[in-house]
Amino acid sequence: MLPKEGNNVMQKEIYLTGITTTGTPHIGNYVGAIGPGVQASKDKSKDNFYFLADLHALAKAGDPERITRSTLEIAAAWLALGLDIDNAYFYRQSDIHEISELTWILTSMTSKGLMNRAHSYKAQVQNNIESNAKDQDKGINMALYSYPILMAADILMFKSTHVPVGRDQKQHIEMTRDIAQRFNHNYGDILVIPEAVISEETATLSGLDGRKMSKSYDNVIPLFVDEKKLKKLIMKVKTNSLEPGEKKDKDDSILFDIFQAFSSKEETKNIEKLYEQGIAWGEMKKILFECINDQLKPAREKYQILINNPKEIENELISGAKRAREISIPYMEQIRSAVGIRKLC
Ligand code: TRP
């Protein structure tokens, strides 16, 4: 028997991934999002959406040049690493005007209380309280406050079923589900309820100092620095003071964490043995450098060419947005009509 329309059984899975354009892509973005995303883009059994979250960047960064530069760099990184753009949707968030419109519609039906509970907002308030600021909302703009609603619009606009994210973003997906459920309750079954996909291995990567690799901690290894700089940064990764020959603990080693993210299970097993045998930290750094460098070298060359050809990237983004809007424009029409924004006759 053929499945009926609307029956989930035959529906294609739709994956969606966004990266905020606030900085230079780093190896944490690579192992967490770009690497797995590029692999997934080749899978014809799924629909894949990849976008540059420049509207999200506005909530965080005040510097226009930085947002533009970051958009160029992150787009070039996706392309250099081999994103299959014929099989995937690749676009800049701000080119999809329907996302902004959907954000407002969703904002109108999201309770303030839900946003009050967002971890990232609460963390900022907590910072202000701890530093005895007069206003506990100091430095918090409305975009930051309602950031999860814009993210919900990104996800819901393309009927995403699966959203691969780091653990720190899980709450945002839960909020998206809440918002979509409320919408559907009021207006009918229009939005698709997505789920978060959190990969245990690649969820987060440690930075130079052992905290999560993040632009905000200034502890990142940029993805496409030249060889010399890459070597230098790896030399800076924090280790303990154990001497060569002394057994090392893999569970307490940033070098090991990073190596593992770049390697097969078998390669990782070999390194575990070397840790048992007391490999010198200097030696381990050399191994890590070679491992990362070998993997990134071919893409690094492509990246350099692309970065010097912004026109080519711009064209890709424009045609990506055009394809994506073939979905978002009619869907937005349906959503608008459901909430009462309609032609009079
Ligand atoms: N908020 C995400 C981050 O900072 C980026 C992002 C924006 C995103 N919109 C998204 C991720 C939609 C997944 C789906 O990492």
Side-chain angles (χ1 to χ4, degrees):
M1 193 178 78
L2 282 173
K4 288 192 294 271
E5 226 198 317
N7 181 333
N8 278 333
V9 179
M10 285 300 283
Q11 221 144 61
K12 240 186 176 182
E13 291 183 350
I14 299 177
Y15 280 70
L16 177 131
T17 302
I19 298 182
T20 308
T21 55
T22 40
T24 295
H26 55 74
I27 64 169
N29 299 135
Y30 172 67
V31 301
I34 307 180
V38 166
Q39 283 312 315
S41 73
K42 303 179 195 325
D43 179 350
K44 295 210 163 40
S45 72
K46 301 186 173 84
D47 277 340
N48 288 292
F49 290 78
Y50 304 91
F51 68 97
L52 306 150
D54 57 347
L55 295 174
H56 274 106
L58 269 186
K60 294 182 176 174
D63 180 0
E65 298 315 317
R66 188 177 159 106
I67 295 175
T68 314
R69 178 72 195 173
S70 173
T71 304
L72 172 68
E73 289 183 352
I74 295 174
W78 278 110
L79 296 172
L81 287 160
L83 188 74
D84 185 347
I85 40 175
D86 295 326
N87 191 45
Y89 293 85
F90 181 57
Y91 54 92
R92 174 171 42 205
Q93 183 187 32
S94 60
D95 284 339
I96 316 296
H97 305 310
E98 295 69 35
I99 292 176
S100 301
E101 189 176 354
L102 182 55
T103 300
W104 184 252
I105 291 177
L106 298 177
T107 301
S108 310
M109 61 201 58
T110 301
S111 67
K112 178 171 174 285
L114 185 68
M115 293 300 101
N116 287 342
R117 289 195 284 280
H119 297 319
S120 48
Y121 165 67
K122 276 169 57 182
Q124 299 239 17
V125 169
Q126 196 53 35
N127 273 343
N128 284 335
I129 292 173
E130 279 164 19
S131 57
N132 285 321
K134 265 200 220 108
D135 177 4
Q136 66 170 36
D137 282 326
K138 184 176 167 225
I140 300 171
N141 59 33
M142 283 308 293
L144 201 72
Y145 184 67
S146 46
Y147 186 102
I149 310 179
L150 177 56
M151 190 156 156
D154 292 331
I155 295 168
L156 299 171
M157 189 80 262
F158 293 104
K159 303 185 183 176
S160 317
T161 57
H162 294 79
V163 188
V165 283
R167 213 167 291 122
D168 58 321
Q169 298 288 319
K170 186 161 178 252
Q171 190 197 30
H172 291 150
I173 313 299
E174 279 157 12
M175 290 178 158
T176 302
R177 292 169 61 92
D178 279 0
I179 294 169
Q181 269 152 356
R182 177 181 270 201
F183 182 101
N184 285 354
H185 180 77
N186 289 341
Y187 301 107
D189 221 2
I190 292 174
L191 302 177
V192 173
I193 313 296
E195 54 186 274
V197 182
I198 295 169
S199 152
E200 290 305 320
E201 287 159 36
T202 58
T204 49
L205 189 70
S206 313
L208 296 174
D209 57 357
R211 290 185 293 176
K212 178 192 168 182
M213 186 172 288
S214 162
K215 288 164 276 207
S216 29
Y217 295 145
D218 199 21
N219 63 355
V220 307
I221 300 179
L223 191 49
F224 292 123
V225 281
D226 62 46
E227 258 180 54
K228 244 169 93 188
K229 186 88 203 289
L230 178 63
K231 199 179 258 165
K232 225 165 130 187
L233 283 168
I234 290 173
M235 290 303 154
K236 271 175 52 184
V237 174
K238 209 168 125 196
T239 56
N240 58 28
S241 56
L242 290 173
E243 299 285 336
E246 288 185 273
K247 181 174 176 285
K248 314 282 190 292
D249 179 4
K250 69 172 173 61
D251 295 325
D252 181 27
S253 166
I254 306 164
L255 291 170
F256 187 88
D257 275 357
I258 302 178
F259 182 88
Q260 189 171 30
F262 275 84
S263 309
S264 68
K265 284 215 162 68
E266 212 179 307
E267 290 161 333
T268 307
K269 275 246 143 52
N270 287 335
I271 294 295
E272 270 176 46
K273 272 192 216 124
L274 295 177
Y275 268 60
E276 292 276 325
Q277 293 161 9
I279 184 174
W281 287 131
E283 183 60 25
M284 183 57 203
K285 287 180 172 175
K286 237 195 281 90
I287 293 176
L288 180 61
F289 164 72
E290 256 142 45
C291 158
I292 298 183
N293 194 46
D294 284 351
Q295 270 183 63
L296 294 182
K297 202 172 184 166
R300 189 190 290 141
E301 282 157 22
K302 284 191 203 134
Y303 178 81
Q304 286 312 335
I305 296 171
L306 283 164
I307 276 287
N308 294 318
N309 261 305
K311 184 124 189 56
E312 192 178 320
I313 299 180
E314 183 61 33
N315 286 341
E316 290 300 354
L317 292 177
I318 289 172
S319 75
K322 196 159 168 244
R323 283 180 60 220
R325 292 188 82 199
E326 282 167 18
I327 300 170
S328 61
I329 291 174
Y331 192 33
M332 197 59 224
E333 194 59 45
Q334 191 190 346
I335 295 169
R336 224 185 266 132
S337 169
V339 301
I341 312 261
R342 308 174 188 143
K343 295 236 162 38
L344 295 179
C345 56

